[in-house]
Short mmCIF file of all heavy atoms in Angstrom, two decimals:
data_model
loop_
_atom_site.label_atom_id
_atom_site.label_comp_id
_atom_site.label_asym_id
_atom_site.label_seq_id
_atom_site.Cartn_x
_atom_site.Cartn_y
_atom_site.Cartn_z
N ASN A 1 21.51 9.01 12.84
CA ASN A 1 21.97 8.63 11.50
C ASN A 1 21.47 7.28 11.02
O ASN A 1 21.58 6.98 9.83
CB ASN A 1 23.50 8.67 11.46
CG ASN A 1 24.03 10.08 11.58
OD1 ASN A 1 23.96 10.87 10.65
ND2 ASN A 1 24.56 10.41 12.75
N ALA A 2 20.94 6.45 11.92
CA ALA A 2 20.33 5.18 11.50
C ALA A 2 18.91 5.45 11.01
O ALA A 2 18.14 6.14 11.67
CB ALA A 2 20.32 4.19 12.66
N VAL A 3 18.58 4.89 9.86
CA VAL A 3 17.25 5.10 9.26
C VAL A 3 16.66 3.73 8.91
O VAL A 3 17.34 2.89 8.30
CB VAL A 3 17.35 5.97 7.98
CG1 VAL A 3 15.96 6.21 7.41
CG2 VAL A 3 18.06 7.28 8.28
N MET A 4 15.42 3.51 9.30
CA MET A 4 14.76 2.25 8.95
C MET A 4 14.78 2.06 7.44
O MET A 4 14.56 3.01 6.68
CB MET A 4 13.33 2.23 9.47
CG MET A 4 13.23 2.24 10.99
SD MET A 4 13.94 0.74 11.74
CE MET A 4 13.83 1.18 13.48
N LYS A 5 15.05 0.83 7.00
CA LYS A 5 15.30 0.59 5.58
C LYS A 5 14.20 1.11 4.65
O LYS A 5 14.51 1.72 3.62
CB LYS A 5 15.53 -0.90 5.32
CG LYS A 5 15.96 -1.18 3.87
CD LYS A 5 16.24 -2.63 3.63
CE LYS A 5 16.79 -2.86 2.22
NZ LYS A 5 15.88 -2.41 1.16
N PRO A 6 12.91 0.91 4.94
CA PRO A 6 11.90 1.43 4.01
C PRO A 6 12.00 2.94 3.83
O PRO A 6 11.84 3.45 2.71
CB PRO A 6 10.58 1.04 4.69
CG PRO A 6 10.92 -0.16 5.51
CD PRO A 6 12.30 0.09 6.02
N ALA A 7 12.30 3.66 4.92
CA ALA A 7 12.44 5.12 4.81
C ALA A 7 13.75 5.48 4.12
O ALA A 7 13.80 6.44 3.33
CB ALA A 7 12.38 5.74 6.20
N PHE A 8 14.80 4.71 4.39
CA PHE A 8 16.10 4.97 3.77
C PHE A 8 16.01 4.83 2.25
O PHE A 8 16.57 5.65 1.51
CB PHE A 8 17.16 4.02 4.33
CG PHE A 8 18.54 4.24 3.81
CD1 PHE A 8 19.38 5.17 4.41
CD2 PHE A 8 19.03 3.53 2.72
CE1 PHE A 8 20.67 5.39 3.94
CE2 PHE A 8 20.31 3.74 2.24
CZ PHE A 8 21.13 4.67 2.85
N ASP A 9 15.30 3.80 1.80
CA ASP A 9 15.18 3.56 0.36
C ASP A 9 14.47 4.70 -0.37
O ASP A 9 14.66 4.89 -1.58
CB ASP A 9 14.43 2.24 0.10
CG ASP A 9 15.26 1.02 0.49
OD1 ASP A 9 16.49 1.15 0.64
OD2 ASP A 9 14.66 -0.06 0.66
N LYS A 10 13.66 5.45 0.35
CA LYS A 10 12.91 6.56 -0.26
C LYS A 10 13.70 7.86 -0.28
O LYS A 10 13.27 8.83 -0.93
CB LYS A 10 11.60 6.77 0.48
CG LYS A 10 10.62 5.59 0.36
CD LYS A 10 9.37 5.83 1.19
CE LYS A 10 8.43 4.63 1.10
NZ LYS A 10 7.23 4.82 1.96
N LEU A 11 14.83 7.90 0.43
CA LEU A 11 15.62 9.12 0.48
C LEU A 11 16.30 9.40 -0.86
O LEU A 11 16.74 8.46 -1.55
CB LEU A 11 16.67 9.03 1.58
CG LEU A 11 16.21 9.02 3.03
CD1 LEU A 11 17.40 8.82 3.96
CD2 LEU A 11 15.46 10.29 3.39
N ALA A 12 16.41 10.66 -1.19
CA ALA A 12 17.24 11.04 -2.34
C ALA A 12 18.69 10.75 -2.03
O ALA A 12 19.09 10.72 -0.86
CB ALA A 12 17.04 12.53 -2.65
N ASP A 13 19.49 10.53 -3.06
CA ASP A 13 20.88 10.14 -2.85
C ASP A 13 21.65 11.13 -1.98
O ASP A 13 22.45 10.74 -1.13
CB ASP A 13 21.59 9.98 -4.21
CG ASP A 13 21.12 8.74 -4.96
OD1 ASP A 13 20.50 7.86 -4.33
OD2 ASP A 13 21.39 8.66 -6.17
N ASP A 14 21.41 12.41 -2.17
CA ASP A 14 22.14 13.41 -1.38
C ASP A 14 21.72 13.39 0.08
O ASP A 14 22.50 13.79 0.96
CB ASP A 14 21.95 14.81 -1.98
CG ASP A 14 20.50 15.27 -1.97
OD1 ASP A 14 19.61 14.43 -2.22
OD2 ASP A 14 20.26 16.45 -1.69
N LYS A 15 20.52 12.90 0.38
CA LYS A 15 20.05 12.82 1.76
C LYS A 15 20.58 11.56 2.47
O LYS A 15 20.50 11.46 3.70
CB LYS A 15 18.52 12.81 1.80
CG LYS A 15 17.87 14.07 1.22
CD LYS A 15 18.19 15.30 2.03
CE LYS A 15 17.44 16.51 1.51
NZ LYS A 15 17.77 17.74 2.27
N LYS A 16 21.10 10.60 1.69
CA LYS A 16 21.64 9.37 2.28
C LYS A 16 23.06 9.54 2.80
O LYS A 16 23.54 8.70 3.55
CB LYS A 16 21.62 8.25 1.24
CG LYS A 16 20.22 7.77 0.85
CD LYS A 16 20.29 6.65 -0.17
CE LYS A 16 18.90 6.16 -0.54
NZ LYS A 16 18.94 5.08 -1.56
N VAL A 17 23.72 10.62 2.41
CA VAL A 17 25.10 10.84 2.82
C VAL A 17 25.19 10.93 4.35
O VAL A 17 24.49 11.72 4.98
CB VAL A 17 25.67 12.13 2.19
CG1 VAL A 17 27.09 12.38 2.68
CG2 VAL A 17 25.64 12.02 0.67
N GLY A 18 26.03 10.08 4.93
CA GLY A 18 26.21 10.07 6.37
C GLY A 18 25.19 9.22 7.12
O GLY A 18 25.30 9.02 8.32
N LYS A 19 24.17 8.73 6.42
CA LYS A 19 23.13 7.89 7.03
C LYS A 19 23.40 6.43 6.69
O LYS A 19 24.17 6.10 5.78
CB LYS A 19 21.75 8.29 6.51
CG LYS A 19 21.41 9.77 6.64
CD LYS A 19 21.22 10.20 8.06
CE LYS A 19 20.78 11.65 8.15
NZ LYS A 19 20.63 12.11 9.56
N PHE A 20 22.74 5.54 7.41
CA PHE A 20 22.84 4.11 7.08
C PHE A 20 21.52 3.42 7.43
O PHE A 20 20.83 3.80 8.36
CB PHE A 20 24.01 3.45 7.82
CG PHE A 20 23.94 3.51 9.32
CD1 PHE A 20 23.37 2.48 10.06
CD2 PHE A 20 24.46 4.61 10.01
CE1 PHE A 20 23.31 2.54 11.44
CE2 PHE A 20 24.41 4.67 11.40
CZ PHE A 20 23.83 3.64 12.12
N PRO A 21 21.15 2.39 6.64
CA PRO A 21 19.87 1.71 6.87
C PRO A 21 19.97 0.67 7.98
O PRO A 21 20.99 0.00 8.14
CB PRO A 21 19.58 1.04 5.53
CG PRO A 21 20.94 0.76 4.96
CD PRO A 21 21.82 1.90 5.43
N ILE A 22 18.91 0.52 8.75
CA ILE A 22 18.79 -0.55 9.72
C ILE A 22 17.49 -1.30 9.46
O ILE A 22 16.57 -0.78 8.83
CB ILE A 22 18.86 -0.06 11.18
CG1 ILE A 22 17.72 0.93 11.48
CG2 ILE A 22 20.21 0.57 11.48
CD1 ILE A 22 17.65 1.34 12.95
N GLY A 23 17.45 -2.53 9.95
CA GLY A 23 16.28 -3.37 9.72
C GLY A 23 16.65 -4.62 8.95
O GLY A 23 17.85 -4.97 8.86
N LEU A 24 15.67 -5.30 8.41
CA LEU A 24 15.91 -6.48 7.58
C LEU A 24 16.35 -6.01 6.20
O LEU A 24 15.57 -5.39 5.47
CB LEU A 24 14.64 -7.34 7.49
CG LEU A 24 14.73 -8.60 6.63
CD1 LEU A 24 15.84 -9.53 7.11
CD2 LEU A 24 13.39 -9.33 6.62
N LEU A 25 17.59 -6.27 5.85
CA LEU A 25 18.16 -5.76 4.61
C LEU A 25 18.07 -6.75 3.45
O LEU A 25 18.07 -6.35 2.29
CB LEU A 25 19.62 -5.36 4.83
CG LEU A 25 19.89 -4.38 5.99
CD1 LEU A 25 21.37 -4.04 6.04
CD2 LEU A 25 19.05 -3.13 5.87
N HIS A 26 18.03 -8.04 3.78
CA HIS A 26 18.01 -9.06 2.72
C HIS A 26 17.49 -10.36 3.30
O HIS A 26 17.82 -10.72 4.42
CB HIS A 26 19.41 -9.28 2.15
CG HIS A 26 19.50 -10.43 1.19
ND1 HIS A 26 19.13 -10.33 -0.13
CD2 HIS A 26 19.87 -11.72 1.38
CE1 HIS A 26 19.29 -11.49 -0.73
NE2 HIS A 26 19.74 -12.36 0.16
N GLN A 27 16.67 -11.06 2.53
CA GLN A 27 16.21 -12.39 2.94
C GLN A 27 15.79 -13.18 1.71
O GLN A 27 15.15 -12.64 0.81
CB GLN A 27 15.05 -12.30 3.93
CG GLN A 27 14.66 -13.65 4.54
CD GLN A 27 13.67 -13.51 5.68
OE1 GLN A 27 12.90 -12.55 5.72
NE2 GLN A 27 13.68 -14.44 6.62
N HIS A 28 16.22 -14.43 1.65
CA HIS A 28 15.73 -15.33 0.62
C HIS A 28 15.81 -16.75 1.15
O HIS A 28 16.43 -17.01 2.18
CB HIS A 28 16.54 -15.19 -0.68
CG HIS A 28 17.91 -15.80 -0.64
ND1 HIS A 28 19.03 -15.13 -0.18
CD2 HIS A 28 18.34 -17.04 -1.00
CE1 HIS A 28 20.08 -15.91 -0.26
NE2 HIS A 28 19.70 -17.07 -0.75
N GLN A 29 15.17 -17.68 0.47
CA GLN A 29 15.14 -19.06 0.92
C GLN A 29 16.10 -19.90 0.10
O GLN A 29 16.22 -19.75 -1.12
CB GLN A 29 13.72 -19.64 0.81
CG GLN A 29 12.75 -19.05 1.82
CD GLN A 29 11.41 -19.75 1.80
OE1 GLN A 29 11.03 -20.38 0.82
NE2 GLN A 29 10.68 -19.65 2.90
N SER A 30 16.80 -20.80 0.79
CA SER A 30 17.71 -21.73 0.14
C SER A 30 17.96 -22.87 1.12
O SER A 30 17.87 -22.68 2.35
CB SER A 30 19.03 -21.04 -0.21
OG SER A 30 19.92 -21.94 -0.84
N ILE A 31 18.27 -24.04 0.62
CA ILE A 31 18.51 -25.19 1.50
C ILE A 31 19.72 -24.90 2.39
O ILE A 31 20.73 -24.36 1.94
CB ILE A 31 18.71 -26.48 0.68
CG1 ILE A 31 18.83 -27.69 1.64
CG2 ILE A 31 19.93 -26.38 -0.24
CD1 ILE A 31 18.79 -29.02 0.92
N ASP A 32 19.58 -25.21 3.66
CA ASP A 32 20.70 -24.99 4.58
C ASP A 32 21.69 -26.15 4.49
O ASP A 32 21.38 -27.23 3.98
CB ASP A 32 20.20 -24.80 6.01
CG ASP A 32 19.46 -26.03 6.51
OD1 ASP A 32 18.28 -26.21 6.14
OD2 ASP A 32 20.06 -26.82 7.25
N TYR A 33 22.89 -25.92 5.01
CA TYR A 33 24.01 -26.82 4.74
C TYR A 33 23.85 -28.20 5.37
O TYR A 33 24.22 -29.20 4.74
CB TYR A 33 25.30 -26.17 5.25
CG TYR A 33 26.56 -26.81 4.71
CD1 TYR A 33 26.76 -26.97 3.34
CD2 TYR A 33 27.57 -27.24 5.57
CE1 TYR A 33 27.92 -27.54 2.84
CE2 TYR A 33 28.74 -27.80 5.08
CZ TYR A 33 28.90 -27.95 3.72
OH TYR A 33 30.07 -28.50 3.23
N ASP A 34 23.29 -28.28 6.58
CA ASP A 34 23.19 -29.61 7.18
C ASP A 34 22.18 -30.48 6.44
O ASP A 34 22.38 -31.69 6.29
CB ASP A 34 22.88 -29.54 8.69
CG ASP A 34 21.73 -28.64 9.04
OD1 ASP A 34 21.79 -27.46 8.70
OD2 ASP A 34 20.77 -29.13 9.68
#
């Protein structure tokens, strides 16, 4: 049921039911707190 995110994003909505994406889901740059 785990699907690599690039492949998951290409699935039709009905094919995503019961599945979940794995991999790098989000990344952006911002100054860290310290």
Side-chain angles (χ1 to χ4, degrees):
N1 292 286
V3 182
M4 295 296 174
K5 186 178 186 301
F8 183 86
D9 290 342
K10 294 177 182 177
L11 291 176
D13 289 344
D14 62 321
K15 299 295 185 181
K16 292 181 179 179
V17 177
K19 308 290 184 182
F20 60 93
I22 60 174
L24 179 58
L25 306 183
H26 173 81
Q27 188 170 27
H28 74 273
Q29 290 187 338
S30 180
I31 186 170
D32 61 282
Y33 196 54
D34 50 303

